[in-house]
Amino acid sequence: MLRRFAALVAFVAIPSVLNAQSRGVPVENIDRSVSPCTDFDAYANGQWRATHPMPAIQNTWALRTVTQDETRARLRSIAEEDATKAASAPKGSPTQLTGDFYAACMDEPRVNALGLKPLEQMLQGIEAVHDVKSLSAQIVRLQEISLAAPLSLNAAQNLHDTTQMIAEIEILGLGMPDRDYYLRDEPRFKDTREKYTAYMHKMFALAGTGDSSHSDADAAPAIAAVMKIETALAQARLSRVELRDPAVTDHLMTFAELKALAPNFNWSEEFHALGVPSDGHINVPQPKLVQAFDNLLASASLDDWRSYLRWQLLNGEAAKLSATFENERFAFYGTALTGVKEMRPRWQRCVIATDEMLGEALGREYVDRYLPPEAKARARQMAVNIVNELKRSIETRDWMTAPTKAKALEKVNALNIKIGYPDKWKDYAGVVVDRATYLESSLSAARYSERDDLNQIGKPVDRGRWDMPPPT
């Protein structure tokens, strides 16, 4: 992910512009029975919470959550309208991409009928792994669809020259949120581990028999293999406390040094297949973790690795498979981990998926309706005025020395004002969306997203690039 240490970025979100007519503090939300000196949050928002009970589909609830739901309702109307126009729209246009993607997602009967079939070819590739070379190839193949199993090669800013983008190597691939869930024995961690292995059993059984209650003889060794690899990776990971220091994850090296650090993995194939230049700097945030991954390539059996890769694929794509897979994934990640009682309605899940996979295609139509150019220009001028006033304030401070003012103004001049949406839209070139194949359409969009990220490597930082869709 792009790191912005050299410059601050100013954003004005579209919902803020839409709600600009609502001014001041909504006093009806205040609970005056609470002392603001004791609990200001309860004082300021208590009455709102009392009259707005949290829906079962949420695990957090606030005014901003309501705004998100209002935005999704607007996106729904756009997606549904696009779905009716997609057949006559040019291939690859925002209307065709978003319309067919949303329609494919909403066709739940077809998604259910297809079951695991959309993943069959990739699963067969995993089962065909017979040596470290073919194992490396499958790990690369999963990276192409943005699945870290467990390797992730991505673009990042060079902390030693923040004007440039370089390659960064990370090891991810854990099914639980943090290393503590694998290593600590407090009841909440042990309970989550038990629920995680139960979830794996159901998913492996579904993949093997279509029945999550089936006692699949292959499930137990597959689960043990996944836990073995994930636990070994968790043991080598830095703790959250250690990761607070940016210097700890700053390890520039050459391609030759990377190959020497982890000689079992085919790095040449990795960089070649993903189209990444290997002649520049590479950052490896956690070298010991990369070594642990490399050691597992040699020490874990190929059977273990096949089980692990199969799990990463099943788990990573479960939300786009039939309801049996999606429901089991929600039961663990939604209910067991975050306490959400009910799954969002299908239309909300499909709006969220469309926004995640084709955010600038859907967002382009969103801003056409809700943020015309003149509104963006007014918002930008407001931001410029704020920056100018900040400069004036610095220049007139008599307690600041001249060198301090110069440094402060240098930071202000580095501000990158972004309003509403990018000046240059993503073109989604090569993305193929067919409403008959929801998962395959999603994988095509994922491949574009991966290429779009990796294409930054070896180039100057694009300060006009957005890392969030416009409606966010």
Side-chain angles (χ1 to χ4, degrees):
M1 298 295 294
L2 185 63
R3 296 177 178 174
R4 293 180 174 86
F5 290 91
L8 296 171
V9 183
F11 288 94
V12 174
I14 293 175
S16 300
V17 176
L18 293 176
N19 296 326
Q21 68 274 16
S22 301
R23 301 175 186 276
V25 176
V27 294
E28 66 273 13
N29 294 341
I30 294 175
D31 183 354
R32 300 187 186 278
S33 68
V34 178
S35 169
C37 298
T38 303
D39 188 337
F40 187 80
D41 177 58
Y43 167 80
N45 302 302
Q47 192 59 33
W48 184 86
R49 291 199 182 100
T51 55
H52 295 78
M54 184 169 69
I57 62 171
Q58 302 282 3
N59 66 342
T60 59
W61 189 233
L63 282 168
R64 67 178 181 275
T65 321
V66 176
T67 301
Q68 288 174 343
D69 288 344
E70 292 171 349
T71 298
R72 287 174 184 141
R74 296 187 186 102
L75 292 174
R76 178 190 189 182
S77 66
I78 294 171
E80 288 179 346
E81 184 177 320
D82 283 352
T84 65
K85 299 177 179 178
S88 58
K91 285 290 184 183
S93 65
T95 297
Q96 184 270 316
L97 291 173
T98 60
D100 280 338
F101 190 92
Y102 180 77
C105 179
M106 287 298 293
D107 191 354
E108 191 170 13
R110 179 166 179 80
V111 173
N112 289 338
L114 288 172
L116 198 61
K117 187 176 180 180
L119 287 183
E120 282 182 356
Q121 187 174 359
M122 297 194 74
L123 288 168
Q124 289 169 2
I126 291 170
E127 294 307 312
V129 167
H130 59 278
D131 56 18
V132 174
K133 182 179 179 180
S134 57
L135 172 59
S136 296
Q138 286 303 315
I139 291 172
V140 173
R141 191 178 184 196
L142 291 178
Q143 283 181 87
E144 291 174 345
I145 57 170
S146 296
L147 284 181
L151 181 61
S152 173
L153 170 58
N154 55 275
Q157 265 182 292
N158 184 347
L159 297 185
H160 302 269
D161 179 2
T162 53
T163 67
Q164 297 296 313
M165 299 296 290
I166 61 172
E168 185 167 86
I169 300 292
E170 293 190 278
I171 302 298
L172 306 173
L174 301 185
M176 290 187 285
D178 182 71
R179 69 194 296 271
D180 290 347
Y181 286 82
Y182 296 85
L183 307 180
R184 293 174 61 172
D185 287 328
E186 289 91 327
R188 72 185 184 97
F189 294 119
K190 292 179 69 175
D191 179 63
T192 302
R193 281 199 296 274
E194 291 173 3
K195 290 177 179 177
Y196 182 50
T197 55
Y199 164 54
M200 278 195 280
H201 184 278
K202 292 176 180 178
M203 293 288 279
F204 277 127
L206 281 171
T209 66
D211 180 1
S212 64
S213 65
H214 186 78
S215 179
D216 190 339
D218 293 332
I223 293 167
V226 173
M227 289 302 292
K228 173 184 174 181
I229 291 175
E230 291 191 4
T231 301
L233 295 174
Q235 288 171 334
R237 290 185 69 84
L238 295 173
S239 69
R240 291 191 179 188
V241 174
E242 291 170 314
L243 289 170
R244 291 174 185 171
D245 181 1
V248 170
T249 55
D250 180 19
H251 301 281
L252 286 186
M253 57 183 68
T254 65
F255 186 66
E257 289 170 331
L258 174 64
K259 292 200 293 184
L261 177 73
N264 291 315
F265 187 72
N266 191 341
W267 295 106
S268 296
E269 175 61 23
E270 160 93 353
F271 277 66
H272 175 74
L274 297 177
V276 176
S278 60
D279 56 351
H281 289 298
I282 302 163
N283 186 46
V284 181
Q286 299 190 51
K288 290 183 179 179
L289 182 53
V290 172
Q291 287 180 315
F293 157 66
D294 194 65
N295 291 337
L296 283 168
L297 291 175
S299 63
S301 70
L302 291 176
D303 280 341
D304 286 353
W305 273 108
R306 283 191 289 266
S307 294
Y308 173 78
L309 295 185
R310 188 157 65 114
W311 171 243
Q312 291 297 317
L313 183 59
L314 281 174
N315 191 33
E317 302 302 330
K320 299 176 180 69
L321 293 171
S322 60
T324 51
F325 290 98
E326 186 180 21
N327 290 341
E328 294 297 348
R329 192 179 199 280
F330 173 79
F332 179 69
Y333 288 106
T335 302
L337 278 183
T338 64
V340 179
K341 297 176 182 178
E342 293 180 10
M343 192 181 296
R344 288 181 178 275
R346 184 79 184 183
W347 76 263
Q348 284 196 20
R349 306 201 306 273
C350 291
V351 163
I352 292 170
T354 308
D355 192 36
E356 287 178 349
M357 304 308 298
L358 297 166
E360 288 195 16
L362 180 60
R364 190 168 184 172
E365 298 188 278
Y366 184 83
V367 300
D368 285 344
R369 297 190 186 190
Y370 298 107
L371 189 67
E374 57 271 20
K376 178 175 180 175
R378 288 197 304 270
R380 180 175 180 80
Q381 187 58 53
M382 179 178 66
V384 169
N385 292 343
I386 292 171
V387 171
N388 288 338
E389 179 59 24
L390 181 57
K391 289 180 182 179
R392 189 201 65 77
S393 177
I394 292 170
E395 290 166 347
T396 57
R397 295 306 92 183
D398 56 10
W399 57 269
M400 295 177 73
T401 64
T404 301
K405 289 181 180 181
K407 284 293 184 182
L409 290 170
E410 181 182 337
K411 290 184 177 181
V412 174
N413 289 328
L415 281 168
N416 185 15
I417 298 173
K418 294 182 175 181
I419 306 295
Y421 55 91
D423 294 326
K424 180 181 179 181
W425 295 97
K426 293 180 180 179
D427 60 10
Y428 293 101
V431 176
V432 177
V433 174
D434 185 337
R435 67 175 59 197
T437 54
Y438 174 47
L439 178 59
E440 291 173 13
S441 296
S442 179
L443 295 180
S444 181
R447 291 186 181 95
Y448 172 87
S449 178
E450 193 71 9
R451 292 193 306 271
D452 182 56
D453 175 64
L454 295 176
N455 283 343
Q456 299 177 82
I457 295 173
K459 298 175 183 177
V461 171
D462 181 358
R463 300 186 78 231
R465 183 182 176 89
W466 280 57
D467 291 330
M468 63 176 71
T472 297

